[in-house]
Amino acid sequence: MIEEGSKRSKAMVEKRQLFMEMRAQNFDVIRLSTYRTACKLRFVQKRCNLHLVDVWNMIEAFRDNGLNTLDHNAEINVSRLETILSSIYYQLNKRLPTTHQINVEQSIGLLLNFMVAMYDSEGHGKLTVFSMKAMLATMCGGKIVDKLRYNFSQISDSNGVMIFAKFDQFLREVLKLPTAVFEGPSFGYTDHSVRTCFPQQKILLNTFLDILMADPPPQCLVWLPLMHRLANVENVFHPVECSYCRSESMMGFRYRCQQCHGYQLCQSCFWRGHANGPHSNQHQMKEHSSWKSPAKKLSHAISKSLGCVPMGEAPHPLFPEQAERPQETHTHNVQPKSAAHNMNDTLIMSTGAPTPTKSVLESPSRLDEEHRLIARYAARLAAEAGNSTQQCPPTDLSFNFDANKQQRQLIAELEHKNREILQEIQRLRLEHEQASQPTPEKAQQNPTLLAELRLLRHRKDELERRMSALQESRRELMVQLEGLMRLLKDEEQKQTSGGSPHSSPSHGAGCSMPMPIRSTSAGSTPTHTPQDCLAGVGGDVLEAFAQGVPRNLRNDLLVAADSITNTMSSLVKELHSVDDLVEEEEANMRNGRERGTGRVQKH
């Protein structure tokens, strides 16, 4: 009962720890609810180390844990949720350098308690699969367009059209995030939230992204893009003095008044509503997320006046309008991460879309997608050329015709080069498949090599089990050694005081403290005599206490501990030798495959 009470109290302390730390940051002094909510959620994201987990790594973790095969309304218990979070954070530590490792247990505890407090307020001990996906895919790191694309794949049908009932469910789950950080009155869920976001009847992917990434976005989700902007400007430096706090530099956002000349505020002063002089909080402020020197501003103004600056960029790239499969099922066979795989991950992050797999490249729609884009661009150029022809005098008709002809020739050349590149990709893929097929020589060598590798791995597993058993024995020996040292100390004190070692054994300090022993056959709590306290201990120790004269038992026990340590060292050396043999065999197999690949390429 006492242990259960202590565990319960510890869980309550851990549950409140994140909220206590967030309250200590004093975010409530921020007067604007949008910035206040974004700052709180950004703090939770960084405190739980979710900002280090990219959205594509999160999707891979969902697939590895089998969540892509479960129904959205299926429930998972807290223990399985803890297992999923453990796999996410342990995989994160594998990707991070050794100097930037995170505390996995602490991160799991903080995030688990936050999710349970947010989605399981009634204490059922279960969460739905959709709740967990929506929360983790929203709070992890990565680009907002990638997160929204993944969420759209979860709430759309096979035709790529959004299902309003599922978006309503998504909105309910996501808006629990502001409620969890005590911002529910500003951004809580209402029955009209869906229609205020999408008054249209048919919503495709690009429309979904246009509305949620617009400026401004829907009111209920205005904190979501701001949280990502906060992450992007945390380390931005502005060499400008704040007009209120007189700080000589700013970090993060910079706010410039549109009415007061040269009046600029740092984000801390602006968020708290500070103002001085002729400036008022009612003045319109412009938010800056970067710093441009006066020379750069002058060059930008000149380029803009000359028409060299392009039009405003779209908030996101244009994606195909056909239905997208959920990103969880893009890759069926997960291979070990190699240099090429890491390069694909980098490409995913830079382009905002996953690298096409083999089936995607070979599908006719994907092969013709680039041709359609080129044809669309050609039609746009032709339309612009037609409009300019109508506006220009008749003397320029021949010039416009020649320009249009040159553009069409350029487009034809680009299409031809594109076909050649696709054919080259197909040829290289076929060569790779042929090179990866086993040759007759490797077919004869592989069984022997594989058998040896299996034996070596089996031997390695046995050594690891023995080493773990010896580690456990050594730990128990050290615990017993500590208890026995206390007994020896008590016996020496009794002899020096003139009393007999057996006169009052029931009051010995060593007998009042139970020693943790894994085996259930030994006595659980020592009672009356030192001999009873040593039940199940080695013969030398029992003999030493039976004679009543303390021998040099410390040296004996230390010698025993050293022998176990030496045994463990020898096991570690043997384990390393087995690892070297395994690596050598695998290197031989790789060399054999490379030689076979070279022979195939020569043929």
Side-chain angles (χ1 to χ4, degrees):
M1 293 296 291
I2 297 176
E3 292 181 357
E4 292 179 359
S6 62
K7 289 181 180 179
R8 192 178 298 111
S9 61
K10 183 180 179 181
M12 291 297 294
V13 170
E14 292 178 350
K15 185 176 181 180
R16 297 173 182 172
Q17 179 182 355
L18 184 63
F19 297 102
M20 293 172 62
E21 293 179 0
M22 183 177 66
R23 193 173 290 112
Q25 299 295 319
N26 203 17
F27 290 122
D28 291 329
V29 300
I30 302 176
R31 63 188 180 97
L32 300 176
S33 60
T34 305
Y35 287 93
R36 190 168 59 244
T37 305
C39 288
K40 288 181 178 180
L41 291 177
R42 176 61 178 170
F43 172 79
V44 173
Q45 183 189 46
K46 293 181 68 176
R47 188 66 183 85
C48 297
N49 289 311
L50 278 175
H51 66 296
L52 301 174
V53 184
D54 188 73
V55 60
W56 299 108
N57 298 125
M58 189 67 73
I59 295 170
E60 184 180 359
F62 292 162
R63 183 178 61 246
D64 292 342
N65 287 277
L67 298 180
N68 57 324
T69 60
L70 298 179
D71 185 74
H72 282 173
N73 297 321
E75 293 183 339
I76 58 175
N77 53 27
V78 177
S79 61
R80 185 173 180 187
L81 175 61
E82 186 175 3
T83 303
I84 295 171
L85 297 181
S86 301
S87 66
I88 292 171
Y89 283 116
Y90 279 113
Q91 289 296 326
L92 171 63
N93 256 354
K94 290 181 180 179
R95 294 189 296 270
L96 293 176
T98 55
T99 56
H100 293 76
Q101 298 286 298
I102 65 170
N103 189 337
V104 173
E105 298 298 331
Q106 185 182 35
S107 301
I108 293 172
L110 290 174
L111 182 56
L112 181 65
N113 290 320
F114 180 73
M115 294 181 68
V116 170
M118 181 170 56
Y119 291 115
D120 188 29
S121 57
E122 298 180 358
H124 296 301
K126 293 182 179 180
L127 283 77
T128 63
V129 173
F130 189 75
S131 300
M132 188 192 63
K133 284 183 177 181
M135 186 271 177
L136 292 177
T138 303
M139 291 294 290
C140 67
K143 296 181 179 179
I144 185 173
V145 62
D146 296 332
K147 298 181 183 181
L148 293 177
R149 283 185 62 206
Y150 171 73
N151 288 322
F152 184 83
S153 69
Q154 300 294 304
I155 61 176
S156 58
D157 58 14
S158 58
N159 297 320
V161 180
M162 187 186 76
I163 303 173
F164 276 88
K166 287 189 175 181
F167 177 73
D168 181 74
Q169 184 183 4
F170 166 75
L171 212 55
R172 288 175 186 268
E173 303 300 338
V174 170
L175 291 182
K176 289 179 182 178
L177 286 167
T179 305
V181 293
F182 314 108
E183 297 296 333
S186 301
F187 301 105
Y189 173 82
T190 61
D191 296 334
H192 305 289
S193 299
V194 177
R195 286 302 170 185
T196 56
C197 294
F198 300 107
Q200 302 94 331
Q201 294 296 325
K202 184 177 180 181
I203 304 299
L204 299 176
L205 173 61
N206 290 311
T207 308
F208 180 80
L209 296 176
D210 287 338
I211 293 177
L212 293 189
M213 297 181 66
D215 188 17
Q219 180 60 29
C220 60
L221 293 173
V222 69
W223 50 270
L224 182 59
L226 179 58
M227 185 178 71
H228 289 78
R229 294 209 311 274
L230 278 174
N232 293 331
V233 302
E234 282 182 346
N235 298 319
V236 174
F237 176 77
H238 305 270
V240 182
E241 182 183 18
C242 177
S243 300
Y244 183 85
C245 66
R246 300 302 176 184
S247 176
E248 296 182 356
S249 60
M250 303 180 189
M251 294 293 291
F253 287 120
R254 173 171 55 92
Y255 297 89
R256 183 166 55 87
C257 182
Q258 301 296 292
Q259 299 181 23
C260 305
H261 177 70
Y263 193 90
Q264 302 190 79
L265 292 176
C266 63
Q267 65 178 20
S268 178
C269 294
F270 175 75
W271 291 352
R272 286 158 175 78
H274 295 161
N276 58 348
H279 178 71
S280 171
N281 288 329
Q282 304 302 322
H283 292 181
Q284 184 180 2
M285 303 289 286
K286 185 175 182 181
E287 183 180 273
H288 295 272
S289 58
S290 62
W291 164 255
K292 291 182 180 179
S293 62
K296 188 177 292 185
K297 290 180 181 179
L298 179 61
S299 64
H300 182 78
I302 295 174
S303 301
K304 189 175 181 180
S305 63
L306 295 176
C308 300
V309 178
M311 300 294 291
E313 297 182 358
H316 64 86
L318 187 66
F319 296 101
E321 293 184 353
Q322 62 264 26
E324 279 196 343
R325 292 161 55 193
Q327 282 88 348
E328 295 172 357
T329 57
H330 274 176
T331 307
H332 296 283
N333 299 320
V334 181
Q335 300 294 335
K337 290 228 172 188
S338 59
H341 191 78
N342 293 332
M343 183 179 66
N344 291 339
D345 289 348
T346 307
L347 183 62
I348 286 173
M349 291 302 299
S350 61
T351 59
T355 305
T357 56
K358 178 179 177 181
S359 59
V360 175
L361 280 175
E362 292 177 354
S363 61
S365 60
R366 294 289 182 178
L367 289 174
D368 297 336
E369 180 181 345
E370 295 173 346
H371 297 292
R372 287 200 301 270
L373 291 175
I374 294 173
R376 189 184 304 173
Y377 181 67
R380 186 184 302 173
L381 289 176
E384 292 177 357
N387 294 333
S388 61
T389 302
Q390 294 176 3
Q391 297 175 1
C392 293
T395 55
D396 294 338
L397 287 177
S398 59
F399 175 75
N400 290 332
F401 179 76
D402 293 339
N404 193 10
K405 185 177 180 181
Q406 292 177 0
Q407 291 173 354
R408 290 181 181 276
Q409 290 177 353
L410 179 62
I411 292 171
E413 292 177 1
L414 292 175
E415 288 181 347
H416 180 67
K417 290 181 179 179
N418 187 36
R419 293 193 198 96
E420 290 180 352
I421 291 173
L422 292 176
Q423 291 175 0
E424 183 69 15
I425 291 173
Q426 188 68 19
R427 184 183 63 80
L428 291 174
R429 184 183 295 113
L430 292 175
E431 289 183 358
H432 178 70
E433 291 178 354
Q434 293 175 0
S436 61
Q437 292 179 356
T439 59
E441 296 180 358
K442 288 193 288 182
Q444 296 177 359
Q445 297 176 359
N446 279 342
T448 306
L449 294 174
L450 291 176
E452 292 180 358
L453 281 175
R454 280 195 293 269
L455 290 175
L456 289 172
R457 289 196 179 100
H458 182 66
R459 176 62 176 167
K460 178 183 176 183
D461 294 338
E462 289 182 355
L463 292 174
E464 288 178 348
R465 286 194 295 269
R466 287 181 58 192
M467 188 168 66
S468 61
L470 283 173
Q471 287 177 346
E472 183 67 20
S473 301
R474 186 188 183 194
R475 186 185 64 80
E476 293 178 0
L477 181 62
M478 291 304 174
V479 172
Q480 293 180 4
L481 177 62
E482 183 180 358
L484 292 175
M485 288 302 176
R486 292 178 183 174
L487 287 175
L488 285 173
K489 185 177 180 180
D490 293 341
E491 291 296 328
E492 290 176 356
Q493 289 178 356
K494 289 177 183 179
Q495 288 184 358
T496 54
S497 61
S500 175
H502 302 286
S503 59
S504 58
S506 60
H507 301 287
C511 297
S512 63
M513 181 188 66
M515 292 193 301
I517 299 177
R518 185 179 59 175
S519 176
T520 57
S521 60
S524 60
T525 304
T527 54
H528 297 289
T529 63
Q531 286 79 3
D532 294 333
C533 297
L534 299 174
V537 185
D540 292 339
V541 178
L542 191 60
E543 181 182 357
F545 281 96
Q547 293 175 359
V549 180
R551 297 166 53 191
N552 195 357
L553 192 58
R554 180 190 308 223
N555 294 335
D556 296 339
L557 290 174
L558 289 177
V559 168
D562 290 338
S563 65
I564 292 179
T565 304
N566 294 332
T567 306
M568 289 177 61
S569 301
S570 62
L571 279 174
V572 169
K573 292 179 181 179
E574 189 172 355
L575 186 62
H576 287 327
S577 64
V578 172
D579 287 338
D580 294 339
L581 288 175
V582 171
E583 292 178 358
E584 184 178 356
E585 292 293 337
E586 290 178 349
N588 292 334
M589 292 183 67
R590 284 196 297 268
N591 293 333
R593 284 197 293 269
E594 291 176 357
R595 287 194 295 272
T597 304
R599 286 195 294 271
V600 171
Q601 292 179 353
K602 289 180 181 179
H603 289 307

